[in-house]
Amino acid sequence: HGLSASDAEALDALLDADYDLARVPEALRDRAERVARLLGLLDTPITGADETLVRRTFELLCMRHTRSSNTPVLCNADEDALEAWMMSRGDLSRVPAAVRERAGVHESIRHLLTHTQPASTGVDLVEATLARVQQAVDAQDDRLRISSHRSLRLSDIISVAAVMLLAASILLPVLSSVRSEARKALCQSNLTRVAEALGIYAGANDSSLPMATAGFGGRPWIDVGSSPERSNSANLYVLVRNHFSPLSDLACPGNPSAPTSALPPDAMDWRHLREVSYSYQVQDGRARRMWHLDPSLPIIADRSPVILQIVLRDPIVPEARSPNHSSRGQHIIRADASVDWIQSPVTQSGDNIWLPRPIEQAVAKIRRFHGMNGNEVPAGVDDVLLGP
């Protein structure tokens, strides 16, 4: 079925205005808007970083129709560029300069399709979408005639939308992974500076680890923000309070609640457990000097998931990974001030950095446990217990 003469004139004006309704003559604007909405041309705005990808994809998929055939083909410029690119065996330097830019678009699409694998859920979404697209195309037997010199099929519009959706399903997981790796790299940079601050603190304090109190001796250490005597994080905050490290270095980018500034100058601790980004070795009342420790011993790590599970009264999984990095692993600072990334919280010696040894031994029997009281202490100098 063809458009009426008024609709064809309105849509013709819309095409000439590059789909900008504000540039369509006012007498035709209402009708042009209705026709455009019918075709779905205004449903997805193109903004920001998407504009270049969409314009190049649309340019590659630019279709024309000959008078003698109903089969869509590439426009002349893209046909010439594709042929020149194939004749050069994919070497852009051998493509004539007049069509090199368009040939580069073909090369980019080829690279995208051969080097990037969408996530399994993206594949399912794309397959389902393309199946629906095919059903819609099969149901359309007639083309929408826009003018005597311009024709457009609904199947063409649907095909462009499908390709855009396919590109999005491929690129979105890639962009998410890039952002995750950027946060991980920034966190590692922060902890490298914290390790340097620990070394400076140790040099000024008889090689001791930071400590705000004389030790806990069985007192709770899980009550962040209450008082230094009841919060292990207050010991780590000594680096901030004594100006060995800025607060921003102790704020992991994977923890959106972590403050980077504006805490009171006389603060002794973070205000709440959710603000704490890194877990620190729980003190047992004995001064720990760094030269007495095993150099590979973790003393700081991305925040403990077990402590969060205890406070929230959630089921506790001893082998859980830090939530700072989407539970993919955690950074640690060792006693020799090196910074490493580990996927499992269980070290090579079998020590779980989230648990004291008595609970580790119980977990070895039952694999899951119901919690800690928050007043446990390490079993010895070689027992790692990080919190909160």
Side-chain angles (χ1 to χ4, degrees):
H1 303 285
L3 292 173
S4 66
S6 299
D7 284 340
E9 182 182 3
L11 189 52
D12 212 12
L14 181 63
L15 289 172
D16 291 337
D18 198 21
Y19 303 113
D20 185 356
L21 286 173
R23 296 167 54 190
V24 175
E26 186 172 356
L28 301 174
R29 193 170 300 162
D30 290 342
R31 189 174 294 274
E33 182 177 6
R34 287 198 298 272
V35 175
R37 289 189 181 281
L38 174 63
L39 296 178
L41 299 175
L42 300 180
D43 290 341
T44 306
I46 300 171
T47 59
D50 297 328
E51 182 174 0
T52 300
L53 175 61
V54 173
R55 288 188 181 278
R56 289 203 171 193
T57 303
F58 192 87
E59 181 180 56
L60 180 62
L61 298 173
C62 176
M63 295 182 182
R64 65 179 176 83
H65 300 274
T66 64
R67 294 183 181 274
S68 60
S69 173
N70 290 331
T71 303
V73 296
L74 291 174
C75 62
N76 291 334
D78 276 327
E79 285 181 345
D80 294 342
L82 181 57
E83 183 176 359
W85 177 64
M86 293 176 64
M87 292 296 292
S88 70
R89 299 180 180 270
D91 185 354
L92 287 178
S93 65
R94 297 171 55 192
V95 175
V99 294
R100 188 173 299 158
E101 182 177 358
R102 285 180 179 270
V105 176
H106 292 296
E107 169 64 20
S108 298
I109 294 298
R110 182 201 66 79
H111 187 276
L112 180 65
L113 295 178
T114 57
H115 289 77
T116 306
Q117 297 295 329
S120 58
T121 54
V123 172
D124 295 340
L125 176 61
V126 170
E127 289 180 351
T129 301
L130 292 180
R132 289 195 175 189
V133 167
Q134 189 59 50
Q135 292 175 3
V137 171
D138 292 342
Q140 300 300 321
D141 295 329
D142 298 322
R143 292 185 298 175
L144 297 175
R145 299 288 181 178
I146 297 178
S147 69
S148 59
H149 62 278
R150 206 185 264 119
S151 65
L152 186 67
R153 292 193 308 176
L154 184 58
S155 60
D156 297 338
I157 299 174
I158 296 175
S159 297
V160 172
V163 171
M164 292 170 61
L165 179 59
L166 176 62
S169 70
I170 294 173
L171 293 177
L172 288 179
V174 174
L175 293 176
S176 177
S177 176
V178 169
R179 288 193 296 267
S180 178
E181 288 301 316
R183 288 193 294 266
K184 179 180 171 183
L186 182 56
C187 176
Q188 182 177 7
S189 177
N190 285 352
L191 287 181
T192 299
R193 291 191 293 271
V194 172
E196 294 174 356
L198 283 173
I200 297 173
Y201 179 92
N205 291 274
D206 195 22
S207 293
S208 296
L209 292 174
M211 182 183 294
T213 62
F216 296 99
R219 291 190 295 254
W221 45 262
I222 203 170
D223 299 334
V224 176
S226 58
S227 66
E229 293 79 14
R230 298 176 63 88
S231 172
N232 184 59
S233 62
N235 291 318
L236 184 58
Y237 197 83
V238 165
L239 293 177
V240 178
R241 186 159 52 88
N242 292 341
H243 308 292
F244 288 96
S245 178
L247 187 61
S248 57
D249 283 353
L250 289 165
C252 176
N255 178 14
S257 299
T260 57
S261 61
L263 288 185
D266 58 346
M268 301 284 288
D269 193 5
W270 283 272
R271 294 165 296 193
H272 192 276
L273 177 63
R274 63 175 174 269
E275 294 184 345
V276 181
S277 293
Y278 301 112
S279 294
Y280 176 55
Q281 173 65 36
V282 173
Q283 306 298 315
D284 58 2
R286 292 173 289 183
R288 297 200 179 197
R289 289 176 171 79
M290 297 186 71
W291 69 62
H292 288 162
L293 301 177
D294 179 350
S296 66
L297 202 70
I299 55 177
I300 294 178
D302 280 299
R303 58 178 172 164
S304 167
V306 170
I307 300 300
L308 295 174
Q309 291 163 358
I310 292 172
V311 171
L312 296 175
R313 301 184 183 278
D314 288 338
I316 295 170
V317 182
E319 289 84 9
R321 300 164 181 172
S322 175
N324 281 5
H325 302 287
S326 303
S327 298
R328 295 186 295 114
Q330 46 277 319
H331 291 103
I332 58 172
I333 298 179
R334 300 186 187 274
D336 63 359
S338 63
V339 179
D340 290 325
W341 170 263
I342 58 174
Q343 290 187 326
S344 171
V346 180
T347 65
Q348 292 182 348
S349 65
D351 189 6
N352 188 314
I353 65 176
W354 310 137
L355 306 175
R357 184 162 298 137
I359 292 183
E360 289 178 26
Q361 294 169 347
V363 168
K365 298 178 181 179
I366 63 175
R367 302 306 303 161
R368 296 179 72 89
F369 71 102
H370 297 288
M372 296 188 294
N373 295 324
N375 57 8
E376 293 82 1
V377 296
V381 294
D382 60 343
D383 182 17
V384 177
L385 172 58
L386 306 183

